[in-house]
């Protein structure tokens, strides 16, 4: 899989306009020609989702979503080319089980939301490209190898067998909006469009301040290839047919820092092929080390020899309906994070992988990225060779998208898998397995040896949910309603996540999005997050600390002075976060 180029440096034609969407019952149509004449079709944005297309047509309400995973979704596009020719169609991400057709003939199948796909085609000059996103519900209901534990957080246990996002399947945590459709771009590259592929890219910063840039390029019919950064250039040498590589050394390079500790300096990288210069994008040079402390039980990150106190938040998604991936979709949220003094964003294992634009913006803002693999809570079938092959390919795609990114700091094997098994009383040999301890580190090291690896979050203590060793998930202050000094007494080393509150939005947000009186209508309570099956929710937690801090009865304050209740609720969360 090629390493990521800057978006506008990629060759070919982006297939964004002219797509239509038709919904049919699951498996009702084997091919596009089986879709009944007169079936309702609507314009569909690509990249985009079924929910997004329906929302734009006025047929979907994100605040009261209807199920979508029981329907097949057909995306169709007419391709017109000047003459018959060979080409390759690049699918950056299809959610999730998808059959691809050209002129009514099947040409490819995709079984993972997290893998890119390249399909060679022969175009006639007037062609129809079609993608059928098969109903996911029947696949999620299939049984597989027996699981040793079943997490309560997810509504469909079949998620452990299908490579798709958990978004939409976590009641109490997010709206049940099911991801389906071409959520990442589709590109047509005609024969002759592509001069080269960047097959690998890595940077390193030595202790004496030398930046090392290593690159491999696949190029056709070229005689001289050079890599350039700043005012230095290095010729690539042939490794095999059409494959070239080089190492460029840059003495006294200005390093990349998290914005809290320095300047996130980036350097533009160019590739020159037979005199023609291509801008690959911007990269940075930094050195990452893990500090386990004098007792070997800690977890800390050292960047360029300096210990970094990591502070930030867990990222969900810019928009759960659209699942967007462009820079303008991320900019507002990531700028707010940087302005708040954060220096790290964690992408949790229940979400979805983000795009090169996400990483490039984090590079610019000096925001480190802790990236979970999209593995969470479940006992995954690590003995299934097909499943492991999917994990290896999605790892390669993730690292290709972030190939130039100095912000990518930690890759984690997933979220709360160890914890789930341990909380059910299972032994370490059951919940700590080869997928996260052996396979993933091997896949990652082969492509990015400069990144810190963590097998799971949380992990490290006598039990993975203990917070006094390595990485913990701390909810003593917060969900467990302990006093504010508990975080210090619990000897928390590093919290991958913590607290757990139902945050009250600003008043202008409530005015814009809430059509009913705040706190005095069932709609308010329906949006409060909660653990599935628990008798309490995270508003109850917030109310506990409102009472603790201000000595007021939250239920009476809410009833008698709703505005004051909301203001104190916002203040309570801020004070608890500051203290903790």
């Amino acid at each position: 899989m090629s390493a990521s180029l800057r978006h506008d440096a990629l060759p070919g034609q982006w297939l964004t306009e002219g797509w239509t969407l038709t919904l049919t019952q699951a498996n009702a149509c084997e091919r596009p020609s089986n879709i009944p004449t007169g079936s309702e079709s609507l314009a569909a944005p690509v990249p985009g989702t079924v929910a997004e297309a329906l929302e734009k047509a006025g047929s979907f309400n994100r605040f009261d979503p209807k199920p979508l995973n029981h329907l097949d979704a057909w995306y169709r596009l007419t391709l017109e080319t000047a003459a018959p020719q060979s080409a390759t169609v690049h699918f950056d991400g299809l959610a999730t089980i998808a059959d691809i057709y050209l002129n009514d003939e099947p040409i490819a199948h995709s079984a993972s939301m997290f893998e890119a796909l390249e399909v060679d085609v022969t175009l006639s000059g007037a062609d129809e490209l079609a993608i059928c996103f098969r109903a996911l519900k029947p696949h999620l209901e299939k049984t597989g190898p027996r699981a040793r534990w079943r997490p309560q957080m997810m509504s469909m246990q079949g998620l452990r067998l299908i490579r798709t996002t958990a978004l939409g399947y976590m009641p109490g945590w997010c709206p049940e909006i099911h991801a389906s459709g071409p959520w990442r771009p589709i590109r047509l590259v005609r024969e002759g469009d592509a001069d080269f592929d960047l097959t690998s890219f890595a940077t390193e910063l030595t202790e004496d301040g030398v930046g090392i840039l290593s690159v491999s390029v696949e190029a056709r019919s070229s005689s001289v290839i050079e890599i350039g950064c700043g005012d230095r250039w290095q010729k690539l040498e042939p490794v095999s047919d059409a494959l070239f590589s080089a190492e460029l050394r840059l003495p006294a390079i200005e390093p990349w820092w998290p914005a809290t500790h320095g300047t996130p300096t980036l350097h533009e990288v160019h590739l020159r092929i037979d005199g023609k210069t291509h801008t690959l994008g911007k990269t940075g040079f930094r050195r990452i080390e893990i500090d386990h402390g004098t007792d070997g039980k800690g977890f800390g990150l050292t960047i360029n020899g300096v210990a970094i106190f990591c502070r930030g938040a867990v990222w969900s998604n810019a928009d759960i309906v659209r699942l967007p991936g462009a820079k303008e979709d991320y900019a507002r949220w990531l700028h707010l994070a940087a302005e708040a003094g954060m220096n790290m964003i964690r992408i949790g294992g229940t979400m979805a992988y983000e795009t090169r634009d996400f990483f490039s913006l984090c590079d610019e803002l000096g925001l480190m990225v802790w990236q979970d693999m999209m593995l969470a809570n479940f006992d995954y079938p690590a003995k299934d060779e097909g499943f492991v092959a999917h994990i290896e390919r999605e790892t390669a795609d993730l690292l290709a998208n972030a190939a130039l990114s100095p912000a990518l700091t930690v890759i984690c094997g997933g979220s709360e898998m160890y914890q789930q098994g341990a909380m059910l009383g299972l032994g370490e040999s059951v919940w700590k397995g080869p997928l996260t301890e052996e396979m993933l580190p091997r896949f990652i090291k082969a492509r990015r040896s400069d990144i810190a690896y963590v097998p799971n979050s949380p992990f490290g203590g006598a039990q993975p949910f203990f917070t006094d060793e390595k990485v913990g998930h701390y909810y003593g202050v917060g969900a467990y309603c302990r006093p504010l000094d508990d975080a210090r007494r619990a000897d928390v080393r590093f919290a991958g996540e913590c607290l757990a509150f139902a945050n009250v939005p600003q008043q202008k947000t409530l005015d814009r999005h809430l059509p009913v009186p705040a706190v005095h209508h069932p709609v308010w309570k329906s949006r409060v997050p909660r653990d599935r099956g628990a008798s309490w929710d995270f508003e109850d937690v917030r109310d506990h600390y409102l009472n603790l801090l201000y000595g007021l009865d939250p239920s009476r304050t809410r009833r008698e002075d709703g505005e004051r209740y909301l203001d104190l609720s916002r203040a309570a969360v801020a004070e608890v976060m500051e203290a903790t």
Side-chain angles (χ1 to χ4, degrees), residues 322-472:
R322 298 191 297 120
L323 300 179
K327 197 167 186 176
E328 58 268 23
D329 298 306
Y330 301 127
R332 177 189 175 198
W333 308 110
L334 293 179
H335 276 282
L336 283 171
E339 290 165 10
M342 296 184 189
N343 63 14
M344 176 171 274
I345 297 292
R346 175 180 168 219
I347 303 176
T350 54
M351 306 301 168
Y353 299 113
E354 297 297 350
T355 66
R356 60 180 67 89
D357 281 351
F358 179 92
F359 288 100
S360 67
L361 194 52
C362 289
D363 294 341
E364 295 171 18
L365 294 171
L367 286 168
M368 297 178 290
V369 178
W370 173 306
Q371 172 73 66
D372 282 6
M373 298 301 295
M374 292 304 121
L375 299 164
N377 298 74
F378 287 108
D379 173 26
Y380 290 98
K383 294 181 180 179
D384 185 311
E385 292 182 0
F387 178 86
V388 173
H390 279 306
I391 298 297
E392 183 171 15
R393 286 195 292 271
E394 75 184 51
T395 303
D397 284 352
L398 163 66
L399 295 178
N401 268 336
L404 276 67
S405 175
L408 181 56
T409 305
V410 177
I411 291 189
C412 175
S415 172
E416 296 190 349
M417 296 148 63
Y418 289 9
Q419 176 174 290
Q420 285 286 319
M423 289 179 71
L424 292 173
L426 301 175
E428 181 178 295
S429 61
V430 176
W431 45 260
K432 181 184 285 187
L435 178 62
T436 53
E437 296 289 332
E438 301 167 17
M439 298 177 193
L440 277 170
R442 185 172 71 248
F443 299 158
I444 292 160
K445 187 176 181 180
R447 295 168 176 86
R448 286 287 300 266
S449 59
D450 63 314
I451 300 172
Y453 177 75
V454 172
N456 220 247
S457 184
F459 92 105
Q463 293 289 349
F465 43 80
F466 290 175
T467 60
D468 60 353
E469 188 168 344
K470 302 292 173 61
V471 176

Side-chain angles (χ1 to χ4, degrees), residues 406-571:
L408 181 56
T409 305
V410 177
I411 291 189
C412 175
S415 172
E416 296 190 349
M417 296 148 63
Y418 289 9
Q419 176 174 290
Q420 285 286 319
M423 289 179 71
L424 292 173
L426 301 175
E428 181 178 295
S429 61
V430 176
W431 45 260
K432 181 184 285 187
L435 178 62
T436 53
E437 296 289 332
E438 301 167 17
M439 298 177 193
L440 277 170
R442 185 172 71 248
F443 299 158
I444 292 160
K445 187 176 181 180
R447 295 168 176 86
R448 286 287 300 266
S449 59
D450 63 314
I451 300 172
Y453 177 75
V454 172
N456 220 247
S457 184
F459 92 105
Q463 293 289 349
F465 43 80
F466 290 175
T467 60
D468 60 353
E469 188 168 344
K470 302 292 173 61
V471 176
H473 286 185
Y474 174 70
Y475 290 101
V477 176
Y480 296 121
C481 296
R482 290 175 182 161
L484 297 186
D485 64 350
D486 181 77
R488 191 177 303 280
R489 291 189 289 105
D491 193 21
V492 179
R493 297 298 185 97
F494 188 104
E497 57 187 66
C498 62
L499 297 178
F501 290 105
N503 290 286
V504 176
Q506 298 178 61
Q507 191 58 48
K508 63 181 181 181
T509 304
L510 294 178
D511 293 342
R512 185 165 67 248
H513 294 291
L514 189 69
V516 297
V519 307
H520 296 301
H521 193 281
V523 168
W524 173 268
K525 203 66 171 176
S526 70
R527 301 305 300 276
V528 173
R530 64 186 306 129
D531 277 328
R532 193 170 179 224
S535 61
W536 51 272
D537 61 32
F538 293 126
E539 185 162 74
D540 297 330
V541 174
R542 192 187 68 231
D543 282 349
H544 168 82
Y545 287 98
L546 188 154
N547 174 262
L548 180 71
L549 289 168
Y550 310 127
L552 296 174
D553 177 1
S555 60
R556 181 173 180 176
T557 306
R558 181 171 58 241
R559 182 173 65 250
E560 296 180 352
D561 191 343
E563 288 189 13
R564 187 179 187 217
Y565 169 79
L566 294 176
D567 284 340
L568 290 175
S569 294
R570 297 181 185 107

Side-chain angles (χ1 to χ4, degrees), residues 283-358:
T283 193
F285 298 84
R286 83 286 183 268
R287 186 174 69 259
I288 299 172
E289 296 164 302
I290 296 178
D291 179 9
H292 290 305
T294 55
D295 62 359
K297 296 181 179 182
F299 181 88
L301 288 173
T302 299
I303 306 293
N304 306 332
V306 176
I308 307 293
F309 187 92
C310 301
R311 52 181 183 267
V314 181
W315 172 266
S316 51
N317 193 273
D319 187 318
I320 193 175
V321 171
R322 298 191 297 120
L323 300 179
K327 197 167 186 176
E328 58 268 23
D329 298 306
Y330 301 127
R332 177 189 175 198
W333 308 110
L334 293 179
H335 276 282
L336 283 171
E339 290 165 10
M342 296 184 189
N343 63 14
M344 176 171 274
I345 297 292
R346 175 180 168 219
I347 303 176
T350 54
M351 306 301 168
Y353 299 113
E354 297 297 350
T355 66
R356 60 180 67 89
D357 281 351
F358 179 92

Side-chain angles (χ1 to χ4, degrees), residues 122-326:
T122 300
L123 301 176
S124 66
D127 305 272
E128 183 184 75
L129 180 64
I131 315 168
C132 181
F133 295 91
R134 297 296 179 182
L136 197 58
K137 186 178 180 182
H139 292 275
L140 293 173
E141 291 174 341
K142 291 179 180 178
T143 58
R146 183 179 177 85
R148 293 167 293 182
W149 66 83
R150 292 168 63 90
Q152 284 296 309
M153 184 176 179
M154 312 295 185
S155 61
M156 300 289 286
Q157 297 299 312
L159 286 166
R160 63 188 282 266
L161 306 175
I162 304 293
R163 297 310 299 144
T164 195
T165 180
L167 289 169
Y169 296 96
M170 297 181 287
W173 284 99
C174 66
E176 294 188 51
I177 297 171
H178 301 138
S180 179
W183 73 302
R184 292 294 181 245
I186 301 174
R187 180 167 48 100
L188 177 67
V189 179
R190 296 174 175 83
E191 193 172 44
D193 280 350
D195 297 319
F196 68 93
D197 281 327
L198 182 64
T199 57
S200 69
F201 186 97
T203 62
E204 178 185 347
L205 182 69
T206 67
E207 291 188 12
D208 56 357
V210 177
I212 301 174
L213 192 160
S214 303
V215 63
S216 295
V217 173
E218 187 179 90
R220 289 160 288 283
S221 26
S222 63
S223 54
V224 179
I225 308 176
E226 300 168 281
I227 187 73
C229 184
D231 58 358
R232 287 180 174 261
W233 290 85
Q234 178 68 45
K235 182 181 177 182
L236 277 69
E237 300 296 335
V239 177
S240 60
D241 289 345
L243 184 64
F244 302 79
S245 69
E247 183 179 279
L248 176 62
R249 300 180 71 86
L250 301 154
I253 193 75
E254 186 71 26
W256 182 93
W257 289 94
T260 50
H261 289 70
T263 302
T265 303
L266 298 172
H267 307 267
E268 204 158 72
V269 182
H270 304 277
L271 197 69
R272 193 156 61 201
I273 302 178
D274 293 336
K276 182 181 179 181
T277 300
H278 305 265
T279 300
L280 302 184
K282 293 181 178 180
T283 193
F285 298 84
R286 83 286 183 268
R287 186 174 69 259
I288 299 172
E289 296 164 302
I290 296 178
D291 179 9
H292 290 305
T294 55
D295 62 359
K297 296 181 179 182
F299 181 88
L301 288 173
T302 299
I303 306 293
N304 306 332
V306 176
I308 307 293
F309 187 92
C310 301
R311 52 181 183 267
V314 181
W315 172 266
S316 51
N317 193 273
D319 187 318
I320 193 175
V321 171
R322 298 191 297 120
L323 300 179

